[in-house]
Amino acid sequence: MPAKGVLVAVTADVVIAGGGVIGTAIAWRAAAAGLDVVLADPAHGDAASLVAAGMLAPVSEALFGEGALLRVNLLALARFPSFAAELEQVTGHRVGLRREGTLAVAYDAGDYAALTRLTAFRRSAGLEAEELDSRACRKLESFLTPDVHGGVLFPGDWSVDNRRYAAALREAAASAGVRVVRDRVTAVLTAGGADGAGGAGARVRGVALAEGGEIGADRVVVAAGSWSGAVHGLPAGLRSAVRPVKGQLLRLRHPAGLPPVLTHTIRATVRGADVYLVPRADGEVIVGATQEERGPDLTVTAGAVHDLLHDAMSVLPVTSELILAETCSGLRPGTPDNGPIVGEAGPGGLLLATGHYRNGILMSAATADAAVACLTGRAPAPEWEPFGPGRFLTGEGVP
Ligand SMILES: Cc1cc2nc3c(=O)[nH]c(=O)nc-3n(C[C@H](O)[C@H](O)[C@H](O)COP(=O)(O)OP(=O)(O)OC[C@H]3O[C@@H](n4cnc5c(N)ncnc54)[C@H](O)[C@@H]3O)c2cc1C
């Protein structure tokens, strides 16, 4: 029962806390599967989904020791084109999926040695990678500096315009019947259970909102990105499992008359520092990104803008001709093992879909499939098995 004096104004089959790409993709697919869905988000505009570069890059993101993450990222990449095609068909809007591939370039011999080591590892994992000398790199991208030492083409790494994609998801969700509540979820509410406080046997009965109301639902999805741990009622261990990892990024535009300066996404290492440049069909070029452990800080710093532009201009000097249209900063939802947290935990009916860290745009479609499988009593794809919330549970009950 709701607390005395609290109005349960809205009820649904499922309430989703968080309207970034993860929550909205789940909302759309859950509604399309016949569930009555309410999505709650205060919409303060800080979502990482609107800051991201939109790379769909399982191969160039693959690192030593992250085999399970690579497998789920490959699942996500394979799912993305059909998901995006359906989204475009439903909404009539293009989401800017680009499949030209990613060219990783190394600025000096030390950078090239590091790239070669990573490429050998990626090849050993069965991933496609074509090594290119400096001249071959410039044949693919004529504006690259001749100083580039060499590079590797990863044809399997694509990109999407994440802002167009997020907007299309919102539109598709609305047309599938998802209702949106502009408020912050403060707590997952439970009923039953041996201790009456969300312990063994308890089930969710909805969520409490910051402005005082409640939404009644017997399934709750927490998809609040790097803010997920602020939702009360999550089992112990999960509230601290997600931390914000700050990323600063620049949006550049072509001035009138300048032809497109890039076709492929470029990932460059410049004297040990990583920078990427992601071209969009509409002439935007994204330059990113810093990776900083600064808690919830979202400031844009002069040093970051300088470093990103300096490194971008080192490999693509024509960057200096582009218009600096926007500087922005976002919070990646990081986890201790860099993997997402997707699955059921705690009271019956509670599902987590968070912690997507550097790959939330890439993983959004596959996460929606996994979440809707859980919500409709089916098993998610086996690639998700290592990424359940159970790996972070501390067994201390609900705080
Ligand atoms: C600089 C940068 C570059 C990136 N580049 C890429 C990339 O190239 N490719 C890629 O795949 N990923 C990239 N990412 C990562 C990607 O952006 C994230 O993994 C992804 O956006 C996470 O989506 P989300 O929906 O979980 O979180 P968010 O997009 O952060 O959305 C969370 C939402 O929850 C809402 N919210 C917060 N608290 C509550 C609450 N209590 N109740 C209700 N709602 C709440 C917020 O208002 C927000 O709208 C990048 C991130 C950054 C910062």
Side-chain angles (χ1 to χ4, degrees), residues 17-23 40-44 47-49 51-55 183-185 223-225 227 231 247 249 276 289 330-333 356-362:
V21 289
I22 299 297
D41 191 314
H44 47 60
S49 302
V51 173
M55 290 179 292
D183 204 348
R184 184 168 56 85
V185 169
W227 299 272
V231 177
L249 175 149
Y276 53 72
L331 301 174
R332 305 173 184 92
H356 292 77
Y357 192 34
R358 294 164 59 98
N359 291 302
I361 309 296
L362 166 63

Side-chain angles (χ1 to χ4, degrees), residues 5 7 12 20-21 38 52 103 133 164 218 229 237 243 265 288 343 347:
L7 183 67
V21 289
V38 169
L103 177 60
D133 62 17
R164 285 175 187 266
D218 60 12
R243 72 181 195 286
T265 290

Side-chain angles (χ1 to χ4, degrees), residues 45-376:
D46 286 341
S49 302
L50 303 180
V51 173
M55 290 179 292
L56 308 174
V59 184
S60 52
E61 287 279 321
L63 297 176
F64 302 106
E66 293 188 344
L69 189 57
L70 171 62
R71 284 188 286 281
V72 85
N73 278 339
L74 288 172
L75 173 80
L77 186 82
R79 174 65 170 112
F80 206 93
S82 60
F83 189 87
E86 189 173 348
L87 192 56
E88 290 185 338
Q89 197 203 348
V90 166
T91 62
H93 298 307
R94 307 306 299 248
V95 298
L97 178 62
R98 296 191 66 155
R99 303 203 214 191
E100 288 89 346
T102 293
L103 177 60
V105 295
Y107 188 73
D108 65 20
D111 298 330
Y112 192 68
L115 179 60
T116 305
R117 276 195 300 278
L118 266 175
T119 303
F121 158 71
R122 289 165 184 165
R123 279 225 183 87
S124 72
L127 304 171
E128 204 181 337
E130 187 188 339
E131 278 173 60
L132 303 171
D133 62 17
S134 176
R135 184 187 294 258
C137 289
R138 293 188 73 219
K139 221 168 161 186
L140 285 181
E141 291 295 348
S142 58
F143 284 97
L144 279 175
T145 173
D147 295 341
V148 156
H149 198 88
V152 178
L153 179 66
F154 299 113
D157 279 357
W158 308 332
S159 70
V160 70
D161 183 330
N162 47 295
R163 289 186 174 175
R164 285 175 187 266
Y165 174 64
L169 282 173
R170 285 195 296 274
E171 196 172 315
S175 58
V178 173
R179 289 170 289 158
V180 174
V181 170
R182 289 276 167 246
D183 204 348
R184 184 168 56 85
V185 169
T186 55
V188 176
L189 302 172
T190 55
D195 56 5
R203 279 204 63 85
V204 304
R205 62 172 179 81
V207 298
L209 299 171
E211 287 178 15
E214 292 181 1
I215 304 172
D218 60 12
R219 278 158 287 178
V220 171
V221 182
V222 174
S226 59
W227 299 272
S228 297
V231 177
H232 288 266
L234 301 189
L238 287 176
R239 291 197 68 193
S240 56
V242 182
R243 72 181 195 286
V245 181
K246 178 179 174 181
Q248 301 186 54
L249 175 149
L250 315 175
R251 295 190 135 77
L252 311 182
R253 294 205 153 273
H254 285 66
L258 187 68
V261 297
L262 279 182
T263 308
H264 302 78
T265 290
I266 301 290
R267 297 187 79 139
T269 312
V270 182
R271 299 187 190 96
D274 293 328
V275 68
Y276 53 72
L277 297 100
V278 186
R280 303 269 194 252
D282 64 1
E284 196 174 53
V285 176
I286 310 300
V287 177
T290 66
Q291 181 122 333
E292 305 165 64
E293 299 284 350
R294 288 184 191 275
D297 171 42
L298 277 169
T299 51
V300 173
T301 62
V305 175
H306 169 273
D307 291 350
L308 290 170
L309 287 176
H310 173 271
D311 293 343
M313 283 182 220
S314 298
V315 288
L316 197 80
V318 71
T319 304
S320 64
E321 313 267 325
L322 302 181
I323 297 162
L324 177 56
E326 188 183 337
T327 61
C328 43
S329 178
L331 301 174
R332 305 173 184 92
T335 62
D337 61 8
N338 297 338
I341 304 174
V342 176
E344 289 158 308
L350 176 62
L351 183 72
L352 278 96
T354 184
H356 292 77
Y357 192 34
R358 294 164 59 98
N359 291 302
I361 309 296
L362 166 63
M363 282 195 242
S364 52
T367 298
D369 288 348
V372 172
C374 294
L375 291 169
T376 55

Side-chain angles (χ1 to χ4, degrees), residues 5-21:
V6 172
L7 183 67
V8 180
V10 183
T11 58
D13 294 330
V14 187
V15 55
I16 298 172
V21 289

